[in-house]
Amino acid sequence: MVERGARIGPETVLKSRVTVGEDCVVGARCILHAGVVIGADGFGFAPHEGRWEKIEQLGGVVVGDDVEIGANTCIDRGALDDTVIGEGVKLD
């Protein structure tokens, strides 16, 4: 599933059950294997009045060109800025 505002570069391959979240960017010539999730809500919490409260994740995810991401890998969106995966990265 490619959500609203997401962009996928040319020659990128999305295998089965891949999710690219809202406003996330995947570069050119990438391979995202089965079950990859790009741009899930991060595990963001901040202390407030003696307890932890969930905070909104304002960043997105930017994946560079020529990246390969292994099956069932999740890359969360950043709390304040984008999570960035550089060009040529191989991640599993």
Side-chain angles (χ1 to χ4, degrees), residues 15 21 30 45 51 60 63 67 73 88:
K15 302 287 186 168
C30 296
F45 292 88
R51 62 186 175 153
V63 176
V67 171
T73 300

Side-chain angles (χ1 to χ4, degrees), residues 35-46:
V36 166
V37 176
I38 304 293
D41 190 31
F43 194 68
F45 292 88

Side-chain angles (χ1 to χ4, degrees), residues 1-9 12-15 17-27 32 35-40 61-63 69 75 77:
M1 172 183 2
V2 178
E3 296 182 354
R4 180 180 54 84
R7 296 188 317 265
I8 309 296
T12 288
V13 176
L14 306 180
K15 302 287 186 168
R17 300 180 321 278
V18 168
T19 299
V20 180
E22 285 185 13
D23 301 319
C24 292
V25 177
V26 178
L32 279 58
V36 166
V37 176
I38 304 293
V61 176
V62 177
V63 176
I69 302 174
I75 301 173
R77 56 183 58 247

Side-chain angles (χ1 to χ4, degrees), residues 41-74:
D41 190 31
F43 194 68
F45 292 88
H48 179 71
E49 298 179 357
R51 62 186 175 153
W52 291 98
E53 286 193 10
K54 186 158 182 61
I55 60 171
E56 185 175 0
Q57 305 297 283
L58 302 175
V61 176
V62 177
V63 176
D65 296 338
D66 303 304
V67 171
E68 186 165 352
I69 302 174
N72 296 316
T73 300
C74 180

